[in-house]
Amino acid sequence: MRWLRDPSFWVSVLIVALAGAWPLVTGSASGREDMSLILMFVILASSLNIVLGYTGYVNFGHIVFFGLGGYIGFYLISQMGWHLIPAAIAGAIVTALFAAVLGAIILRLRGAYFALATIGVNEAVRALIVNWDALGGAVGMTMNFKRYQAYGGPMNALWVAYGLMIVVALLSVITSYGVRTSKFGLGLLAIREDEDAALVLGIAAPKAKTIAFVLSAIFPALAGALFFFKNGNIEPGDAFRLHMSVEGIVMIMLGGYGTVLGPIVGAATYERLRGYLLTSPIFKDLQLAFAGVLLLLIIIFVPSGLVGWLRNRFPKVRRVLA
Amino acid sequence: MDVLLPSLVDGLLIGFVYGLAAMGLTLIFGVMDVVNLSHGALIVLGMFGVYLLYTALGLPPYVGLFIMLIAGILLGMALYGIAIHPLLGGPHLSTLLSTFAVSMVIIGVGTALFTSTPRNIDFSLGAVQVGNIRLLGTRVVAAFVAIIMAVGLYVFMYRTHTGKSIRAVANNRDAAELVGIPSRRILALSFGLGTMLAMVSGGLIATLFPFNILSGGVYELKSFVICVLGGMGNPTGALLGGLILGLIEGFVPVFMPVGWTPVIEFTLFVIILLVRPSGLLGAR
Amino acid sequence: MSVILEIDHVTKRFGGLIAVNEVSFLLEEGEILGLIGPNGAGKTTLFNCINGVYAPEEGRILFRGHDITGKPPYAVARMGIARAHQVVRPLNELSVLDNVTVGACYGRENLSLGEGRRVAEEVLEFVGLAEKRDVLAGKLNVAEKKRLEMARALAARPYLLLLDEVLAGLNPAEVASMLNVIRAIREQGITILMIEHLMHAVMNVSDRIVVLDYGKKIAEGSPKEVANDPKVIEAYLGDPELALSLLEEGK
């Protein structure tokens, strides 16, 4: 296997695996919650990066996949009594189908028009769910505590969900690496640089973009099912928060657009920074404004992000940091 | 019919204000190809500007609006220098993010200062009765102000030298540079005008509905829908789009639960993007 | 010799404007056919019809016996038609090697990434860009970008190569070396259809010439025949400099 001999593959995978395993070793519940959030951000950012960083399409509606996977998973567990794993997988399959249909339609749009359409899709789906009484409408749904018995009680269920979150995070990072280093990924990069030229070079862009879109939809859908299972309730406002898509974009920019490691580094940095700002007495009230200033500085002065900057500045590290 | 007509007229009046807000967004897109994600935050800034001038200094809202008009141009030109100019020519993503960053800063500072408590401007102009339709004075005036502003913008764009320069830069920046139009100044001014329209319409909305520091998001989304209805980059289309959106909002609740309005709006939005990306008025 | 490309009464309109008007000609395997004509004659539009960027309203285009009219550009590319654009379109943020690898991987032979890299390195050697392989394409100078454009098209291992003004903007030394590359490509058995404004170059390198004016084919033949054709000279009168160089070629 070419991958297994590539140091940059191991760097990305081991960072996620080791960080993810840490709370399992210490057994700390608060450590688990922090890391769970970071892993979820890693999943959101790495998967979004396939469309945004590799293919060059700005998707503000990435969170719609998270919300859909979350809703379907939650419904199957709480109302139909399914087990978490099949419910999450079913959510991911339906979400992937949704992404395939949606992608085939809206990926015809380019640039700002695509970005706007994704906002519209997110808001339309959210508004639809708000009106959908079987899914609890605007109030959402709450998990009956008895459901957690199957996982050894509510406490244990949290650890189960966490373990699965590590698995999904690893899968999303491995997928991101796999795409980035494949012929398919090279085609996506060509589309990002100049779609018309890519078409003339023989890349079936409509199909390639749709596949990328579907791949990017699977992992947030799984993460959504795990997150809301752990959360115990789900409502449209939490599931389809437009803001979270943008946070995902910020993480990617912070770490490095179009790289495998960038979204991982960006997700961790962003979560830590936000955690610090939220608890710091000086910045507590101003955390959003502070993050905004930081984002602006990054875009203007380090547009390629942390990992991108390192790769450009020190070409030798490219072997290690994909 | 008894419910429908008043509801439609109301929708139409509000539609003018929506249209005005969207003109700001569409103007900026048309001139510099930038989707301004700080649009909603700027609308909120206009709301709070008028609100604070009214509550703290006792200035009538329509005087406050005039101050927002000037403040908007100046703020917009400053924002252009900070968040847009250094990034023009780069990928689309960079200005999307920089304007979003501006929005984070405005909303962040605003939340710290004002929390997210709902506010409203306690100001009334009474009502007029036309047949069986009762029109709130503030709504009539808001629509009137929006129309004046829209006409003013039109005259500015088509009758003045500066306005013509803006249109030239929008058409072809390089060619405009070649004939000696200082594109940097023109772009800054356009961003200023866009910001001004956002803030003034925010001020108008504040006289109609309660709001809080986070209200901008809703109106920003409405502006997107309107811009797409009217064609991105087409200010006249934006006004028409605003009226259509206002009518939908007046029309839908008469027939189905009001919660379905956004479903219809956003579905329409995506469909129009797909089948007529240049808007209802534009060529196919 | 067999016919590789048949343009059969192709018409392309934009609104009321007829950009290409009932144009027909044949291209033999292994030849270099020059496509000339004043600005706006419809040459690039015809290229766009051939490689699927536009679908012509009327007429057919047959490539190696298959009807490719209206097929999407990527399908046409896979069948073995590659193109170098007039305005170069490097994939700026990718390295020179990656640019050419894209051409190889998605071209006629549909190579794997590893094979594509190998072909790309060979082609870079062939066009003389080997030492720039790791440079970002956006950082190349104009002449290098033209070579890259050519290399990317060649890496696709096409049967037919469409060259759209690959000599424009080059200095005389660069033109000479690019002409050598073009001849060497023909030696490999690749058929070439080239648009060129540089009259002495196109007359020199082409086996036959087709002349377009206002979307219509007004002449076809050997370089000498075409250069002496009064209709052609008349068409170029709007452009005295070109007309003069055309007359010189005719002598």
Side-chain angles (χ1 to χ4, degrees):
Chain A
M1 245 342 235
R2 171 176 52 86
W3 295 9
L4 303 181
R5 287 198 304 271
D6 181 354
S8 70
F9 171 75
W10 288 110
V11 168
S12 297
V13 168
L14 284 178
I15 287 178
V16 175
L18 292 177
W22 186 244
L24 296 177
V25 176
T26 63
S28 145
S30 72
R32 179 197 65 209
E33 288 312 296
D34 285 353
M35 194 51 74
S36 178
L37 198 59
I38 294 182
L39 289 176
M40 192 177 89
F41 283 157
V42 167
I43 296 166
L44 286 176
S46 286
S47 53
L48 175 58
N49 192 38
I50 295 175
V51 165
L52 182 106
Y54 301 165
T55 322
Y57 276 70
V58 182
N59 182 2
F60 281 113
H62 192 56
I63 206 68
V64 88
F65 304 136
F66 174 80
L68 275 181
Y71 256 96
I72 295 164
F74 201 94
Y75 181 80
L76 292 175
I77 298 166
S78 69
Q79 312 296 317
M80 313 295 281
W82 285 36
H83 187 273
L84 170 61
I85 295 176
I89 292 174
I93 291 173
V94 177
T95 306
L97 292 174
F98 170 76
V101 175
L102 182 70
I105 299 170
I106 69 170
L107 283 163
R108 281 192 290 148
L109 299 168
R110 295 199 186 171
Y113 290 92
F114 175 80
L116 286 177
T118 60
I119 294 179
V121 168
N122 187 60
E123 294 306 305
V125 172
R126 191 234 304 257
L128 185 69
I129 303 258
V130 166
N131 288 289
W132 197 328
D133 292 334
L135 297 178
V139 193
M141 295 178 284
T142 306
M143 190 77 75
N144 187 329
F145 259 56
K146 276 186 289 186
R147 293 282 179 218
Y148 294 122
Q149 293 310 326
Y151 313 88
M155 280 302 139
N156 220 30
L158 293 177
W159 285 105
V160 171
Y162 179 70
L164 290 171
M165 195 70 98
I166 302 177
V167 174
V168 176
L170 284 171
L171 286 176
S172 70
V173 169
I174 292 170
T175 304
S176 166
Y177 173 86
V179 170
R180 179 68 176 78
T181 54
S182 67
K183 174 180 165 179
F184 169 64
L186 184 62
L188 295 183
L189 293 176
I191 293 172
R192 177 186 82 189
E193 293 299 314
D194 184 338
E195 187 163 344
D196 293 317
L199 285 168
V200 170
L201 286 168
I203 296 166
K207 192 170 132 205
K209 287 187 293 185
T210 308
I211 294 173
F213 200 59
V214 170
L215 277 179
S216 86
I218 293 170
F219 301 101
L222 292 168
L226 297 178
F227 177 81
F228 289 105
F229 167 78
K230 196 167 75 67
N231 209 28
N233 76 319
I234 186 167
E235 60 181 56
D238 289 340
F240 303 99
R241 194 183 299 280
L242 194 58
H243 195 87
M244 234 158 81
S245 293
V246 185
E247 283 183 311
I249 299 177
V250 173
M251 292 170 209
I252 291 174
M253 290 300 288
L254 196 66
Y257 169 89
T259 64
V260 179
L261 189 59
I264 303 170
V265 172
T269 316
Y270 183 84
E271 201 281 334
R272 292 285 79 188
L273 195 67
R274 203 180 68 148
Y276 168 74
L277 293 175
L278 275 172
T279 49
S280 134
I282 313 165
F283 293 118
K284 190 161 78 65
D285 291 332
L286 285 171
Q287 58 105 0
L288 189 65
F290 186 83
V293 172
L294 186 71
L295 175 60
L296 196 55
L297 293 176
I298 293 171
I299 302 158
I300 296 175
F301 297 109
V302 207
S304 52
L306 228 50
V307 174
W309 182 79
L310 283 173
R311 281 171 59 91
N312 292 339
R313 184 76 184 70
F314 309 102
K316 286 209 178 95
V317 305
R318 285 185 198 177
R319 251 171 53 76
V320 195
L321 309 181
Chain B
M1 206 57 207
D2 288 351
V3 198
L4 186 59
L5 196 60
S7 184
L8 284 183
V9 172
D10 236 12
L12 211 56
L13 291 179
I14 294 164
F16 279 110
V17 181
Y18 289 168
L20 190 69
M23 278 171 106
L25 193 67
T26 212
L27 177 74
I28 290 172
F29 181 83
V31 175
M32 59 199 89
D33 223 12
V34 166
V35 176
N36 178 15
L37 292 180
S38 63
H39 187 69
L42 295 168
I43 290 178
V44 166
L45 217 51
M47 291 173 166
F48 273 82
V50 170
Y51 169 78
L52 291 174
L53 289 170
Y54 179 66
T55 49
L57 301 178
L59 282 181
Y62 303 110
V63 178
L65 275 183
F66 187 71
I67 296 174
M68 287 306 106
L69 191 142
I70 294 165
I73 294 192
L74 296 177
L75 175 69
M77 291 178 74
L79 286 179
Y80 174 82
I82 298 167
I84 306 292
H85 194 78
L87 299 168
L88 279 185
H92 255 294
L93 184 64
S94 28
T95 51
L96 282 171
L97 286 179
S98 68
T99 53
F100 186 77
V102 168
S103 149
M104 284 164 81
V105 174
I106 295 174
I107 303 286
V109 173
T111 315
L113 291 178
F114 305 110
T115 70
S116 52
T117 349
R119 321 258 162 175
N120 78 319
I121 294 181
D122 189 12
F123 177 82
S124 165
L125 292 173
V128 276
Q129 192 79 27
V130 183
N132 65 344
I133 306 171
R134 209 176 96 90
L135 298 171
L136 280 177
T138 45
R139 294 197 179 183
V140 176
V141 174
F144 185 69
V145 172
I147 294 169
I148 300 271
M149 293 279 299
V151 171
L153 184 75
Y154 187 88
V155 171
F156 175 75
M157 295 290 273
Y158 284 84
R159 293 279 181 272
T160 68
H161 184 73
T162 317
K164 286 176 186 167
S165 302
I166 291 181
R167 288 193 297 128
V169 171
N171 253 321
N172 188 333
R173 195 182 307 157
D174 295 333
E177 283 273 357
L178 280 179
V179 298
I181 296 173
S183 77
R184 182 175 180 164
R185 241 183 289 161
I186 291 295
L187 291 172
L189 178 67
S190 313
F191 203 84
L193 287 173
T195 305
M196 171 199 88
L197 290 167
M199 285 178 62
V200 169
S201 57
L204 285 175
I205 294 169
T207 65
L208 308 178
F209 304 114
F211 57 94
N212 72 3
I213 195 76
L214 304 173
S215 300
V218 179
Y219 296 103
E220 180 170 304
L221 287 171
K222 286 189 200 296
S223 296
F224 283 142
V225 177
I226 293 167
C227 287
V228 167
L229 283 171
M232 288 293 285
N234 177 353
T236 325
L239 202 60
L240 178 79
L243 295 181
I244 295 175
L245 194 79
L247 286 178
I248 292 176
E249 294 196 349
F251 186 76
V252 173
V254 179
F255 296 98
M256 53 182 99
V258 69
W260 285 96
T261 317
V263 183
I264 291 173
E265 277 173 11
F266 288 111
T267 310
L268 189 68
F269 169 73
V270 176
I271 291 173
I272 295 207
L273 262 177
L274 288 168
V275 300
R276 291 198 75 117
S278 53
L280 292 175
L281 289 181
R284 279 186 71 98
Chain C
M1 284 239 194
S2 63
V3 172
I4 185 166
L5 183 76
E6 182 179 351
I7 309 286
D8 180 14
H9 293 90
V10 167
T11 298
K12 175 71 202 167
R13 296 188 197 90
F14 296 104
L17 178 84
I18 305 178
V20 175
N21 194 351
E22 301 241 343
V23 170
S24 301
F25 60 85
L26 298 177
L27 187 55
E28 302 280 347
E29 207 171 316
E31 76 173 333
I32 298 184
L33 179 70
L35 187 59
I36 66 169
N39 277 323
K43 305 180 297 284
T44 298
T45 306
L46 183 62
F47 266 26
N48 281 333
C49 290
I50 295 172
N51 84 329
V53 174
Y54 300 145
E57 272 82 25
E58 283 160 40
R60 288 191 318 158
I61 298 166
L62 298 179
F63 176 60
R64 291 164 50 89
H66 302 282
D67 190 340
I68 58 165
T69 325
K71 281 204 177 208
Y74 51 86
V76 174
R78 293 259 165 131
M79 292 178 75
I81 300 183
R83 171 170 180 181
H85 292 88
Q86 175 181 12
V87 181
V88 291
R89 312 184 75 157
L91 309 169
N92 286 325
E93 296 289 311
L94 300 188
S95 70
V96 166
L97 181 64
D98 278 347
N99 264 269
V100 182
T101 307
V102 172
C105 283
Y106 287 93
R108 178 174 66 81
E109 290 180 320
N110 197 14
L111 300 176
S112 73
L113 195 58
E115 292 163 337
R117 282 246 141 86
R118 226 178 32 248
V119 170
E121 291 188 352
E122 276 170 38
V123 173
L124 282 176
E125 198 72 50
F126 177 74
V127 302
L129 268 182
E131 74 271 29
K132 298 276 180 185
R133 47 172 283 178
D134 292 323
V135 178
L136 289 185
K139 299 239 158 44
L140 297 178
N141 67 32
V142 176
E144 288 165 344
K145 281 181 180 163
K146 292 246 166 194
R147 275 167 190 270
L148 173 62
E149 185 80 19
M150 184 82 111
R152 216 168 49 179
L154 273 181
R157 298 264 170 90
Y159 295 119
L160 169 64
L161 187 56
L162 307 176
L163 299 179
D164 194 348
E165 294 204 37
V166 290
L167 303 175
L170 299 184
N171 68 34
E174 289 162 349
V175 167
S177 95
M178 191 65 112
L179 283 178
N180 284 334
V181 171
I182 292 172
R183 287 198 191 90
I185 293 170
R186 199 248 299 262
E187 293 306 308
Q188 298 182 356
I190 297 174
T191 312
I192 295 177
L193 177 58
M194 63 188 293
I195 297 176
E196 200 43 75
H197 267 298
L198 217 54
M199 213 48 81
H200 74 86
V202 71
M203 292 291 174
N204 198 304
V205 81
S206 304
D207 301 311
R208 282 189 310 132
I209 305 266
V210 165
V211 188
L212 294 188
D213 188 26
Y214 291 109
K216 280 199 134 111
K217 183 175 89 175
I218 55 168
E220 176 176 359
S222 72
K224 204 154 199 120
E225 289 163 4
V226 162
N228 288 316
D229 188 324
K231 272 191 302 204
V232 177
I233 294 166
E234 190 187 341
Y236 271 107
L237 282 182
D239 198 338
E241 207 175 312
L242 271 179
L244 202 66
S245 68
L246 190 67
L247 283 171
E248 271 168 22
E249 292 302 323
K251 277 176 204 158

